[in-house]
Amino acid sequence: MDNAMVALTAETRSMHLDIAGFQSQISGLDQRVATVETQVASSSDRDLELSHLRSNQPDLEDRSRRNNVRLLGFLEGVEGADIFSYLRDILPKLTDITFDPPLEFQRAHRLGPKRQDGNDRPRPIIVCML
């Protein structure tokens, strides 16, 4: 019985050492997983920021003021409902230039809100041509 008890004690110690080793490995793995989770969260934030910047990029490029042309002196409302077709028709006549291919506009609009004070001065037309 003493031999069995010694063998059982030795086996218990061996198991205890194995368990301690496993606990050490699990602790190390926990730290690595926490590090990876932090990196993934940081990466997710960067991906979200990058996605936001990419979605804003075309808008910022399109709204560059350097390519805008201000047209002055066009009476208020003369363009009607379709300012693009009005400008496509009137600009070649005013400049005596035939555009081939025809003019293409990215954006065209009157500057500012419509005047309510009875002022006769028309608002400028802002045009961005391609």
Side-chain angles (χ1 to χ4, degrees), residues 23-89:
Q23 285 176 335
S24 173
Q25 288 178 346
I26 288 173
S27 172
L29 291 174
D30 265 351
Q31 290 174 350
R32 290 174 62 187
V33 166
T35 303
V36 168
E37 285 175 342
T38 303
Q39 289 174 347
V40 166
S42 173
S43 173
S44 176
D45 291 344
R46 278 182 270 165
D47 289 346
L48 184 62
E49 182 181 3
L50 182 61
S51 172
H52 177 70
L53 291 173
R54 282 184 179 160
S55 69
N56 283 344
Q57 180 186 5
D59 187 49
L60 293 172
E61 288 175 349
D62 291 347
R63 294 195 182 270
S64 172
R65 292 180 180 183
R66 287 181 284 171
N67 298 327
N68 288 348
V69 176
R70 287 177 54 151
L71 303 175
L72 304 172
F74 288 91
L75 294 177
E76 201 69 43
V78 72
E79 69 274 5
D82 188 9
I83 195 168
F84 295 118
S85 62
Y86 174 74
L87 292 173
R88 236 180 254 113
D89 293 339

Side-chain angles (χ1 to χ4, degrees), residues 10-21:
E11 190 173 331
T12 304
R13 282 187 190 148
S14 173
M15 289 176 147
H16 180 67
L17 291 175
D18 288 344
I19 289 173

Side-chain angles (χ1 to χ4, degrees), residues 96-120:
D96 288 330
I97 298 173
T98 304
F99 296 98
D100 188 31
L103 290 174
E104 283 187 59
F105 302 99
Q106 184 174 18
R107 210 174 40 260
H109 59 89
R110 290 273 183 179
L111 185 63
K114 192 168 188 171
R115 293 192 172 105
Q116 301 296 328
D117 60 2
N119 190 345
D120 297 284

